[in-house]
Amino acid sequence: MALKSGRKLQPSRSRRSQIFKNPKAAFALAVIFMDALLVALIIAYVPYTKIDWDAYMSQVTGFLGGERDYTNLKGDTGPLVYPAGFLYIYSAIRFITGGEVYPAQILFGILYIINLSIVIFIYVKTEVLPWWALILLSLSKRVHSIFVLRLFNDCFAMTLLHAALAMLLYQKWHLGLILFSGAVSIKMNVLLYAPPLLLLMLKAMNIYGVISALACAALVQILVGLPFLVSHPIAYISRAFNLGRVFIHFWSVNFKFIPEPVFVSKQFAISLLIAHLGLLAAFAHYKWCRHEGGLFKFLHSKVTSALSSSSSSGLKILKEEHIMTTIFAGNFIGIVCARSLHYQFYSWYVLLLHYQFYSWYALLT
């Protein structure tokens, strides 16, 4: 009996020893542990910065009080402009913390470690960086501040987004789209990832698979917004998904050198949109679909196969590196062409900035 018991334990011991013999995996665990200690010290000794927390709590209070008209949900910083997923998450936080900042910081500290772990997993899985470079992911003062000192909703949106990307590495497109849609339901900026994600889905699946994955994402949005869509649909859609919203020039950190009259003009917005679409088309044609003969040839082949009912029912396995470089380059193009970037928007890209640098380097090689 003792010998049999020892044999049963041997494989698990072997797996554990392999993990610690792998320098990248062992170093990743060490980075996560050290950053967890750093987060605890920040929460304990660095003063909280009041920005949007009170506004979040005011908006949540209106929702919990039974208000379903988005035009009536407001806070100190103005009307509610986030989809309903934001309300559910911050309602849960308010229930757990009683609206107090300190326990909320602890929750966001845990969220930070979860997000960091997912990002490190993406790097380890794709083997883009040497193992020692993983330490760079934990050195951003601003990301720590965004998570545990500012408590922005971007933190939840990006954590879900990174989880969705991790699923894509395993070719789990439907699950990835569900998580992606969940991230969109918290903050609409996640849609910057949508164009390259759609292109990758067209590469990996036939047209019917793409439609079913998009239907799953749409269903998430309908279910999340259902209480508001049933009662005040126009108010919800126009406020939560306002693509024409103009940010205050004073708070912009990317186009502050542009005169305010130009910054708020429709012509400037249209110019940035054209630049955004043009860059996406150029990247798709010359880089992302290069092996398919270019974007237009690739799309033509997909349409032809769909019309002739000859498309393969199986999944095409995409390389992990191709998935990540396409996704992050597409997101970075959106950020470059965004009319206004604020302090917390840094969390949209910084933890995967090394991958974006790799994407740009790959374009030149």
Side-chain angles (χ1 to χ4, degrees):
M1 293 293 290
L3 288 175
K4 289 182 180 179
S5 177
R7 287 173 183 168
K8 286 181 181 178
L9 291 173
Q10 188 173 357
S12 62
R13 288 176 179 172
S14 176
R15 284 193 294 269
R16 286 196 297 268
S17 64
Q18 288 176 1
I19 291 175
F20 287 103
K21 285 180 181 178
N22 182 346
K24 185 172 285 189
F27 191 72
L29 291 174
V31 168
I32 293 169
F33 176 75
M34 289 187 295
D35 210 349
L37 294 178
L38 177 59
V39 167
L41 291 173
I42 292 173
I43 294 173
Y45 295 105
V46 180
Y48 154 77
T49 305
K50 179 181 176 181
I51 298 184
D52 282 344
W53 175 257
D54 289 344
Y56 292 169
M57 291 299 102
S58 296
Q59 292 159 354
V60 163
T61 298
F63 166 65
L64 294 176
E67 183 59 68
R68 297 297 180 266
D69 186 347
Y70 248 58
T71 60
N72 294 328
L73 292 173
K74 301 177 181 179
D76 297 342
T77 57
L80 176 59
V81 293
Y82 308 123
F86 158 83
L87 287 173
Y88 302 146
I89 285 179
Y90 276 84
S91 294
I93 294 174
R94 187 175 186 273
F95 175 78
I96 295 170
T97 66
E100 297 295 326
V101 169
Y102 181 71
Q105 287 183 279
I106 296 174
L107 286 179
F108 274 80
I110 296 171
L111 179 68
Y112 171 86
I113 295 303
I114 293 172
N115 182 60
L116 177 67
S117 300
I118 295 171
V119 171
I120 287 178
F121 168 79
I122 291 173
Y123 276 109
V124 172
K125 177 74 173 169
T126 53
E127 298 183 343
V128 170
L129 293 179
W131 60 269
W132 54 265
L134 295 176
I135 190 66
L136 300 174
L137 299 174
S138 64
L139 298 181
S140 172
K141 176 182 176 182
R142 181 164 292 183
V143 172
H144 286 93
S145 175
I146 289 169
F147 271 80
V148 299
L149 298 180
R150 312 297 174 100
L151 314 180
F152 286 125
N153 61 336
D154 303 76
C155 306
F156 282 94
M158 296 315 299
T159 301
L160 267 182
L161 183 277
H162 293 151
L165 300 184
M167 291 299 100
L168 300 188
L169 294 179
Y170 288 97
Q171 315 295 317
K172 304 293 185 182
W173 295 96
H174 285 76
L175 180 56
L177 260 289
I178 290 171
L179 292 172
F180 175 84
S181 187
V184 172
S185 76
I186 299 171
K187 194 159 187 175
M188 196 175 56
N189 70 279
V190 178
L191 287 174
L192 291 177
Y193 287 89
L197 179 56
L198 177 59
L199 180 64
L200 290 171
M201 287 194 298
L202 288 170
K203 283 189 170 191
M205 298 184 286
N206 61 29
I207 193 67
Y208 305 107
V210 173
I211 291 173
S212 66
L214 292 175
C216 289
L219 181 60
V220 170
Q221 293 301 318
I222 292 171
L223 293 176
V224 169
L226 193 58
F228 306 95
L229 292 171
V230 169
S231 56
H232 299 86
I234 296 177
Y236 176 69
I237 294 172
S238 63
R239 288 297 182 94
F241 300 98
N242 183 2
L243 296 175
R245 185 159 63 101
V246 180
F247 289 95
I248 299 174
H249 179 259
F250 177 80
W251 294 112
S252 175
V253 297
N254 57 332
F255 284 117
K256 201 160 190 173
F257 62 93
I258 299 291
E260 185 171 0
V262 176
F263 178 85
V264 300
S265 67
K266 182 174 289 188
Q267 292 82 357
F268 184 57
I270 293 174
S271 299
L272 289 174
L273 177 61
I274 293 172
H276 188 188
L277 296 177
L279 285 171
L280 286 174
F283 271 63
H285 184 72
Y286 293 106
K287 180 61 182 179
W288 301 332
C289 295
R290 181 175 57 186
H291 299 296
E292 290 82 5
L295 175 63
F296 303 108
K297 186 175 181 180
F298 168 70
L299 293 177
H300 181 266
S301 67
K302 296 297 290 188
V303 172
T304 302
S305 63
L307 293 177
S308 62
S309 301
S310 62
S311 58
S312 173
S313 60
L315 287 174
K316 179 182 177 182
I317 304 300
L318 302 183
K319 291 183 178 180
E320 296 166 348
E321 179 185 321
H322 178 61
I323 292 173
M324 291 297 107
T325 52
T326 301
I327 284 285
F328 297 133
N331 176 61
F332 196 68
I333 289 171
I335 288 171
V336 169
C337 297
R339 175 154 51 168
S340 182
L341 296 179
H342 293 179
Y343 175 90
Q344 65 269 31
F345 298 176
Y346 188 71
S347 64
W348 296 1
Y349 65 93
V350 65
L351 289 178
L352 293 158
L353 192 59
H354 306 91
Y355 230 124
Q356 288 159 4
F357 283 144
Y358 180 83
S359 302
W360 292 104
Y361 172 76
L363 287 173
L364 303 176
T365 58

